[in-house]
């Protein structure tokens, strides 16, 4: 490894090209909950149409995952790649991520902010021709005990229309059997109106799993400063290859949580048995007032486990952009449980000081409990933010202090101490549940 890094640096000096790197340290020392230490070092060398890089990852023990339940310490090169880019061709040898369509039949993703990595090691390519794109890939999924995954996609894009076909095959290690997935998609996009649809079919080989199907439809209407989007989903036995080691990431049609209480009781998509729809409205009523309204519904195919989610949000911004007030309301019915959560989020940057003040107040009404939480922070932009958060959830108090420090050039330091409640953290339709935690937290990100 040492000789590889030295050769990268020498190449950068000899050819005068760019070398970039980042080190991300994440530490938790727990008084209650689980401790973990993780450090990622990422380095990339760019020279002309080529790029090469590595990612070194140390985990002692790794951040706890309910899927892997792994507490084994390890340190290894988790990613490595050599890429070529041109106007007509892109080629990567080594580690890569890949998405087919809207992720209905395949999504090999990496979500760095929530520490989930589903990349593959192998090769992929993208060939661009007039009105047509062809992609192909073949790799090994280390996160799924070195299963093999391969496939491709052909996309035709004449005028404002796009359509294509998709294929992927997952070959797990024995005693499991392979699965093939086929898909087709199409859409049309005007300045004020667009439609998209995607269909997938899963064919397990060996008879251990049921055949599955998926359908996703969406349409959007834009008129001036307003937009309306409607979506529909129907997923039946469509976890590829299963819910523990899943290769696809279909649209959820569920609002991702942005606040403490909206992330405590989150409806997770069930691709093996779920149908539903969603509508999203965005509007700019004036230069000072904007809004977002969302409604989503989901249930099983037999009509059980119904889920309803309503999110309404209004944001006011004054003329000199020194005061922002956001009010939001979430109303959820998940089975027999109902959650009502009003939220106020206020940011104030007065002219008489260089400081900015942020206050977030949350309240949640459950059947047996009335929960309350709040956050107050002071920022000296762009150098530092200091804050406290706390509240009471289900008759249990929590409090935490935190600091975000950017005074050191190209270095971000995030520190925290205290107790935080458990809940879901989501990114791009992928969520992980974080258990309640009490102790010391430190995150240091260095970019150079």
């Amino acid at each position: 490894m040492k000789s590889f890094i030295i050769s990268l640096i020498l190449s950068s000096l000899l050819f005068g090209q760019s070398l970039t790197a980042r080190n991300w340290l994440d530490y938790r020392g727990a008084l209650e909950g689980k401790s973990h230490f993780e450090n990622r070092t990422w380095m990339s060398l760019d020279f002309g149409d080529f790029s090469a890089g590595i990612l070194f990852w140390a985990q002692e023990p790794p951040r706890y995952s309910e899927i892997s339940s792994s507490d084994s310490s390890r340190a290894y090169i988790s990613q490595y790649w050599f890429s070529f880019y041109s106007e007509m061709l892109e080629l990567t040898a080594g580690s890569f991520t890949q998405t087919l369509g809207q992720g209905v039949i395949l999504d090999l993703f990496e979500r760095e902010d929530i520490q989930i990595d589903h990349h593959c090691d192998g090769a992929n390519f993208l060939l661009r021709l007039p009105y047509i794109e062809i992609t192909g890939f073949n790799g090994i999924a280390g996160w799924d005990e070195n299963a093999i995954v391969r496939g491709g996609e052909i996309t035709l894009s004449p005028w404002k229309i796009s359509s294509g076909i998709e294929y992927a095959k997952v070959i797990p290690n024995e005693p499991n059997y392979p699965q093939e997935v086929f898909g087709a998609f199409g859409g049309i996009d005007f300045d004020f109106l667009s439609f998209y649809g995607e269909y997938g079919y899963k064919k397990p080989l060996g008879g251990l799993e049921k055949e599955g199907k998926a359908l996703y439809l969406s349409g959007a209407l834009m008129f001036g400063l307003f937009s309306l989007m409607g979506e529909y989903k129907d997923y039946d036995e469509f976890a590829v290859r299963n819910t523990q080691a899943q290769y696809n990431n279909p649209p959820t049609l569920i609002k991702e949580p942005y606040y403490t209480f909206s992330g405590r009781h989150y409806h997770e998509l069930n691709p093996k048995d779920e149908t539903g729809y969603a509508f999203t409205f965005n509007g700019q009523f004036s230069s000072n007032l904007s809004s977002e309204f969302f409604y989503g519904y989901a249930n099983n195919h037999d009509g059980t486990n119904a889920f309803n989610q309503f999110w309404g949000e209004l944001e006011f911004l004054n003329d000199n952009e020194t005061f922002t007030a956001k009010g939001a309301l979430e109303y959820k019915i998940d089975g027999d449980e109902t959650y009502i959560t009003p939220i106020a989020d206020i940011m104030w940057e007065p002219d008489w000081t260089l400081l900015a003040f942020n206050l977030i107040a949350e309240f949640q009404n459950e059947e047996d409990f009335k929960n309350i939480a709040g956050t107050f922070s002071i920022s000296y932009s762009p150098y530092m933010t200091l804050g406290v958060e706390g509240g009471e959830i289900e008759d249990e108090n929590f409090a935490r202090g935190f600091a975000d420090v950017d005074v050191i050039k190209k270095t971000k330091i995030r520190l925290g101490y205290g107790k935080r409640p458990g809940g879901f953290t989501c990114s791009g339709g992928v969520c992980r549940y974080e258990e309640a935690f009490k102790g010391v937290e430190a995150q240091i990100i260095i970019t150079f």
Side-chain angles (χ1 to χ4, degrees):
M1 176 182 171
K2 184 183 294 184
S3 60
F4 179 75
I5 295 175
I6 292 174
S7 65
L8 285 178
I9 296 174
L10 289 176
S11 298
S12 177
L13 294 175
L14 290 174
F15 297 101
Q17 304 302 324
S18 63
L19 176 67
T20 59
R22 180 176 59 182
N23 189 84
W24 182 315
L25 179 147
D26 194 350
Y27 169 76
R28 281 187 178 181
L31 300 175
E32 297 177 12
K34 294 182 179 292
S35 299
H36 75 258
F37 170 86
E38 295 192 351
N39 193 84
R40 290 186 177 196
T41 301
W42 172 88
M43 181 180 295
S44 177
L45 174 64
D46 298 308
F47 43 103
D49 295 331
F50 299 92
S51 174
I54 59 171
L55 172 62
F56 180 79
W57 196 357
Q59 303 168 295
E60 300 176 321
R63 190 174 184 178
Y64 181 74
S65 168
E66 290 191 356
I67 295 178
S68 64
S69 300
S70 172
D71 286 325
S72 59
S73 299
R74 53 183 180 166
Y76 63 110
I77 295 178
S78 64
Q79 294 187 33
Y80 48 91
W81 65 90
F82 180 85
S83 300
F84 168 77
Y85 302 94
S86 71
E87 186 175 343
M88 294 183 59
L89 178 65
E90 295 182 12
L91 175 65
T92 294
S95 303
F96 65 90
T97 58
Q98 185 80 46
T99 301
L100 298 182
Q102 298 294 311
V104 171
I105 75 166
L106 185 84
D107 187 13
L108 304 174
F109 59 83
E110 180 184 11
R111 302 285 188 271
E112 192 173 75
D113 48 349
I114 57 175
Q115 306 274 22
I116 295 179
D117 186 356
H118 282 184
H119 80 272
C120 281
D121 297 317
N124 73 341
F125 72 89
L126 168 61
L127 177 63
R128 296 187 185 92
L129 301 172
Y131 307 113
I132 186 171
E133 288 189 353
I134 303 173
T135 63
F137 57 92
N138 188 90
I140 297 175
W143 49 274
D144 187 23
E145 299 181 351
N146 292 330
I148 297 173
V149 56
R150 58 174 63 111
E153 178 180 276
I154 300 176
T155 304
L156 300 174
S157 302
W159 190 50
K160 298 179 180 293
I161 300 173
S162 65
S163 62
I165 55 175
E166 313 157 288
Y167 171 78
K169 186 175 184 178
V170 181
I171 309 173
N173 286 323
E174 296 295 342
N176 299 306
Y177 289 90
Q179 292 183 3
E180 288 185 307
V181 196
F182 306 87
F185 60 90
I188 187 168
D189 190 4
F190 297 102
D191 293 336
F192 63 93
L193 184 66
S194 64
F195 294 100
Y196 179 83
E198 186 171 0
Y199 175 81
Y201 169 70
K202 182 184 76 172
K203 181 182 179 182
L205 306 178
L208 295 182
E209 294 248 350
K210 296 181 180 179
E211 294 184 355
K213 62 180 181 179
L215 177 64
Y216 170 72
L217 302 172
S218 70
L221 177 65
M222 287 72 70
F223 41 100
L225 299 176
F226 302 92
S227 66
L228 177 64
M229 181 177 181
E231 299 173 278
Y232 173 79
K233 63 181 176 183
D234 186 352
Y235 309 135
D236 187 11
E237 297 295 338
F238 212 74
V240 183
R241 86 183 152 92
N242 56 51
T243 53
Q244 285 72 45
Q246 190 168 317
Y247 285 76
N248 60 333
N249 178 34
T252 63
L253 280 62
I254 299 167
K255 188 75 172 178
E256 286 192 2
Y258 302 121
Y259 295 92
T260 299
F261 288 151
S262 60
R264 277 186 53 75
H265 308 283
Y266 183 74
H267 176 81
E268 293 185 273
L269 172 71
N270 178 14
K272 295 177 75 72
D273 184 12
E274 187 157 295
T275 182
Y277 52 85
F279 295 95
T280 305
F281 171 82
N282 287 281
Q284 185 82 33
F285 297 107
S286 68
S287 60
N288 305 103
L289 186 63
S290 60
S291 68
E292 179 183 2
F293 297 96
F294 172 88
Y295 174 72
Y297 173 79
N299 64 5
N300 293 347
H301 286 88
D302 61 5
T304 59
N305 295 327
F307 171 77
N308 292 268
Q309 180 185 28
F310 171 80
W311 175 270
E313 180 181 310
L314 291 173
E315 181 175 305
F316 172 80
L317 177 64
N318 67 348
D319 291 332
N320 60 4
E321 299 184 356
T322 60
F323 179 82
T324 304
K326 181 186 298 183
L329 174 68
E330 183 182 57
Y331 182 85
K332 286 194 295 194
I333 303 175
D334 194 356
D336 297 329
E337 301 292 334
T338 300
Y339 309 102
I340 303 173
T341 309
I343 301 166
D345 189 342
I346 299 172
M347 176 69 77
W348 183 37
E349 302 176 70
D351 296 332
W352 47 266
T353 178
L354 297 177
L355 301 178
F357 305 91
N358 182 222
L359 175 65
I360 301 173
E362 303 179 53
F363 176 78
Q364 188 175 77
N365 184 35
E366 301 183 21
E367 183 176 345
D368 299 321
F369 298 97
K370 296 186 185 302
N371 303 323
I372 188 169
T375 303
F376 178 73
S377 62
I378 301 175
S379 301
Y380 181 50
S381 182
Y383 304 108
M384 179 180 293
T385 297
L386 300 175
V388 293
E389 60 182 7
E392 183 180 65
I393 298 179
E394 299 182 358
D395 293 334
E396 185 174 354
N397 296 321
F398 71 95
R400 173 178 172 268
F402 60 89
D404 290 350
V405 183
D406 295 330
V407 293
I408 304 175
K409 187 177 181 181
K410 297 183 179 181
T411 302
K412 294 181 178 294
I413 302 174
R414 297 168 181 169
L415 305 173
Y417 177 77
K419 185 175 183 178
R420 65 162 75 213
F424 283 94
T425 303
C426 301
S427 174
V430 182
C431 297
R432 67 176 297 149
Y433 184 79
E434 295 284 356
E435 295 184 332
F437 173 81
K438 181 179 180 180
V440 178
E441 299 173 278
Q443 189 178 90
I444 302 174
I445 304 173
I446 303 173
T447 303
F448 52 92

